[in-house]
Amino acid sequence: MSAPLLEVTGLTRRFGGLVAVDDISLSLQPGEIMGLLGPNGSGKSTVLNLISGALRSDAGSIRLQSREIGGAAPHRIARLGVARTFQLVRVLSSLNCRENVLAGLAFGRRSFWGHAAGQRADELLARVGLAGRAATMTGELTYIDQKRLELARALALDPQLLLLDEWLAGLNPTELQEGIALVRSLRGDGVTILLVEHVMDAIRSLCDRCVVMNAGRKIAEGTADAVLADAEVIRAYLGDDDA
Ligand SMILES: Nc1ncnc2c1ncn2[C@@H]1O[C@H](COP(=O)(O)OP(=O)(O)OP(=O)(O)O)[C@@H](O)[C@H]1O
Ligand SMILES: [Mg+2]
């Protein structure tokens, strides 16, 4: 096996008395798609927030290509090639689609400026299915198109590692199939992907491996089929712990 692109060890984050992320370790090989699963409130988004630098950990390490990024500022982590989307879509509503992507292009691994940036922005919009929408104001976009735009802005950073937080949630069946194909095509381009997801079809068809969390802890790791058949995972999803 080659060296991991991302290696998380003993990651822990508390909010007051709550241990939202409790001693989580996981590693992603280059080009891998890993699913991060678990019931509501199990700590998945917090893991992504720690990796992207939006939050600081209380313990543990996060290494990108063997380099410690835990505790670094979000813009530095972005420059090293880590991009993300948010569970609640965040686009800049006072800007049009091209301007949203330009905002990402200025801060990535490779910076684009001027004419080259405009061209690159339009390419990325086409890539996510927003060809011809460059001048559309973000507020006029449907929900799925806002998600597409947020992905284009993440791709503008030219990421090695893409963190998707329920990017496929809320799509209709046709959109879901398009979304799955799009995520797969990104991997085809060499992007390594950690995706938080509840949509089982997407998990089964995309993920090489999955890590399942419950109440902050890792309770299972393996192929989608294996973890989804795991008794402790099923118990966690059915909510026995809370009953
Ligand atoms: N900024 C915060 N301040 C206080 N508590 C937080 C904060 N962020 C998350 N939490 C708490 O940490 C726990 C884990 O939250 P997190 O958002 O990581 O879960 P999740 O697995 O992404 O859930 P969901 O599937 O609902 O998105 C929850 O109990 C949540 O209320
Ligand atoms: Mg979440």
Side-chain angles (χ1 to χ4, degrees):
M1 248 193 328
S2 49
L5 178 75
L6 178 77
E7 190 158 34
V8 169
T9 318
L11 194 64
T12 299
R13 169 69 201 216
R14 298 184 192 88
F15 295 113
L18 173 78
V19 189
V21 173
D22 190 355
D23 194 24
I24 292 290
S25 297
L26 55 85
S27 90
L28 271 88
Q29 293 297 313
E32 193 173 21
I33 300 183
M34 177 182 275
L36 185 57
L37 281 54
N40 295 123
S42 54
K44 307 177 298 293
S45 294
T46 303
V47 169
L48 296 197
N49 285 331
L50 292 166
I51 296 171
S52 67
L55 288 174
R56 279 170 176 263
S57 66
D58 292 305
S61 105
I62 305 168
R63 289 171 188 273
L64 184 75
Q65 290 176 313
S66 306
R67 172 180 189 164
E68 182 65 45
I69 59 168
H75 69 273
R76 307 199 90 196
I77 294 173
R79 276 264 186 241
L80 294 171
V82 179
R84 67 166 311 169
T85 63
F86 290 87
Q87 185 167 353
L88 300 174
V89 182
R90 291 189 191 176
V91 287
L92 304 168
S93 56
S94 59
L95 302 179
N96 69 29
C97 290
R98 183 187 284 123
E99 290 162 343
N100 261 274
V101 180
L102 287 173
L105 282 169
F107 296 103
R109 267 201 298 166
R110 292 189 285 156
S111 304
F112 290 81
W113 300 98
H115 182 67
Q119 238 172 9
R120 180 75 183 142
D122 289 356
E123 275 168 31
L124 288 167
L125 289 171
R127 182 73 199 272
V128 300
L130 292 174
R133 308 294 295 281
T136 304
M137 293 303 290
T138 306
E140 292 164 33
L141 294 176
T142 60
Y143 178 67
I144 162 82
D145 284 346
Q146 288 189 22
K147 291 198 138 192
R148 292 182 200 274
L149 178 60
E150 196 186 29
L151 181 59
R153 200 178 58 197
L155 295 177
L157 295 171
D158 188 26
Q160 318 187 62
L161 175 66
L162 180 62
L163 310 172
L164 298 177
D165 199 349
E166 302 197 26
W167 191 76
L168 295 157
L171 307 187
N172 71 33
T174 312
E175 293 165 347
L176 179 62
Q177 290 314 312
E178 289 172 12
I180 289 173
L182 180 55
V183 172
R184 193 176 286 124
S185 77
L186 298 175
R187 185 251 289 276
D189 288 353
V191 183
T192 304
I193 299 171
L194 178 59
L195 60 92
V196 169
E197 201 48 73
H198 289 293
V199 181
M200 294 300 166
D201 283 352
I203 293 163
R204 283 209 164 82
S205 70
L206 283 172
C207 299
D208 302 306
R209 283 186 306 135
C210 298
V211 163
V212 187
M213 295 178 68
N214 188 34
R217 298 195 67 91
K218 177 158 91 174
I219 59 166
E221 175 165 8
T223 63
D225 284 341
V227 299
L228 295 175
D230 181 280
E232 193 176 353
V233 172
I234 293 167
R235 249 196 328 273
Y237 270 98
L238 294 180
D240 274 2
D241 289 355
D242 300 333

